[in-house]
Amino acid sequence: MTTTTSGLTAVRAGVLDYTAAWDEQRRLHDAVVSGESGDTVLLLEHPSVYTAGKRTEPWDRPMDGTPVVDVDRGGKITWHGPGQLVGYPILRLPDPIDVVAYVRRVEQMLIDVCAEFGLTAVRVEGRSGVWVPEDDRGPARKVAAIGIRVAQGVTLHGFSINCDCDLTHFDKIVPCGIRDAGVTSLSAELNRPIPITDVLPVVETHLLTITPAP
């Protein structure tokens, strides 16, 4: 399913292998760079996979031989898989390129999505992504991750939000290289099932907020 609003196209790509999604990102990136295509966001779910960004250290990786795909985004290692909604915005950023401002827009979009379900999420100074603040249930917990790359003025990679995924997948790694904080999901925090099918349309309604102001 594909929808276009105010020049931004959202593509529901279903369940897509990570390497196939990476190939499609690069194809779209080339098309946006050349002007053959407008800004596009792929929204999908991956089969279980670990991906390692450029800042991943050897000790961040799983010790049990679990395969890891090395990728050219920023950040460290993370997990993608069933129950996690992944978004890959392929957007042209205006000159002068402001990557930090783009990341802040993505963070705010994810905070707003969490709020729609009744979950308060925040930024944490010095850490990327979106977090549930420390409370009587434990330390700050990451509910959504961000890892991006900008090439030729156009973004790649993007964000993921944990809906109703099996959080034990994160136990094999040091998620995003952060040892003193946990990982959570919308379902775990709200004590009710929040499947991708519920989150997907809400994310779509907020996507325009990540595009640069005209």
Side-chain angles (χ1 to χ4, degrees):
M1 176 177 159
T2 301
T3 57
T4 302
T5 306
S6 298
L8 179 66
T9 299
V11 179
R12 294 189 183 188
V15 179
L16 198 60
D17 179 78
Y18 187 85
T19 54
W22 178 220
D23 287 343
E24 179 63 6
Q25 279 192 74
R26 285 181 289 192
R27 185 193 70 79
L28 282 168
H29 182 268
D30 289 345
V32 173
V33 167
S34 69
E36 296 173 13
S37 178
D39 292 344
T40 303
V41 182
L42 298 175
L43 296 169
L44 52 87
E45 186 177 16
H46 287 305
S48 188
V49 63
Y50 292 95
T51 69
K54 293 182 288 186
R55 293 176 50 242
T56 302
E57 304 288 354
W59 51 84
D60 296 329
R61 296 171 181 264
M63 297 291 107
D64 63 354
T66 299
V68 176
V69 178
D70 288 285
V71 295
D72 63 353
R73 61 166 168 78
K76 294 197 172 189
I77 194 167
T78 194
W79 171 85
H80 298 305
Q84 181 192 75
L85 177 62
V86 179
Y88 295 128
I90 315 298
L91 310 177
R92 182 180 297 280
L93 299 182
D95 289 325
I97 302 296
D98 190 338
V99 177
V100 172
Y102 170 63
V103 172
R104 293 291 173 266
R105 290 195 298 271
V106 176
E107 288 173 343
Q108 189 59 53
M109 183 270 291
L110 293 166
I111 289 169
D112 293 343
V113 168
C114 289
E116 294 248 7
F117 290 93
L119 178 64
T120 298
V122 298
R123 298 180 179 91
V124 172
E125 184 70 29
R127 293 177 170 176
S128 69
V130 170
W131 298 77
V132 177
E134 180 178 0
D135 56 17
D136 56 8
R137 297 176 63 176
R141 306 171 292 282
K142 181 180 277 192
V143 67
I146 297 170
I148 68 160
R149 180 183 176 217
V150 179
Q152 296 176 274
V154 175
T155 64
L156 287 155
H157 301 292
F159 62 87
S160 60
I161 182 167
N162 298 330
C163 304
D164 59 351
C165 51
D166 179 356
L167 296 172
T168 63
H169 289 289
F170 292 100
D171 294 342
K172 293 183 178 181
I173 60 172
V174 180
C176 303
I178 298 172
R179 297 178 180 275
D180 61 343
V183 179
T184 192
S185 68
L186 292 171
S187 297
E189 293 298 324
L190 297 170
N191 295 310
R192 67 180 193 270
I194 310 286
I196 283 179
T197 50
D198 288 358
V199 180
L200 183 56
V202 177
V203 168
E204 285 175 330
T205 65
H206 287 274
L207 280 179
L208 279 176
T209 63
I210 71 173
T211 59

